[in-house]
Amino acid sequence: AKGQRTLCLLGCDAVGALAAEGSEAQADLQFFGACEAVVEALRAFPREAVVWQRAGRAMAALANRHAGCQEALGRAGACEALHGGLQ
């Protein structure tokens, strides 16, 4: 589980950094399933604050002024995953 957690953290960091590069990078990340992967990280570690922090940062970077990523995050269940982790 620790290896999976580390992989999720590194993946979220990479997605966030790449998404911050702009709309072309966001579109590529959307195409390759980054939105779904970040949401899955939340689901896999619902009680890990550090995963939440990094996944949240990645989701914010993906969704920043990019309707395609916003829609993909919604379809992937980002709101439900966030809500579920708050309970």
Side-chain angles (χ1 to χ4, degrees):
K2 185 178 181 202
Q4 288 178 324
R5 180 179 167 271
T6 300
L7 185 59
C8 283
L9 293 172
L10 293 173
C12 287
D13 288 346
V15 167
L18 289 168
E21 296 291 319
S23 62
E24 189 173 320
Q26 288 166 306
D28 288 344
L29 288 163
Q30 178 191 353
F31 178 79
F32 287 108
C35 297
E36 295 81 1
V38 171
V39 172
E40 190 55 38
L42 285 177
R43 287 192 180 116
F45 298 95
R47 301 286 181 245
E48 293 276 347
V50 68
V51 174
W52 273 66
Q53 178 187 32
R54 295 191 192 178
R57 192 177 305 140
M59 286 193 297
L62 285 164
N64 185 31
R65 292 180 279 175
H66 196 277
C69 284
Q70 293 166 6
E71 292 170 8
L73 287 164
R75 283 191 307 274
C79 293
E80 294 83 358
L82 288 167
H83 182 264
L86 295 173
Q87 296 189 24

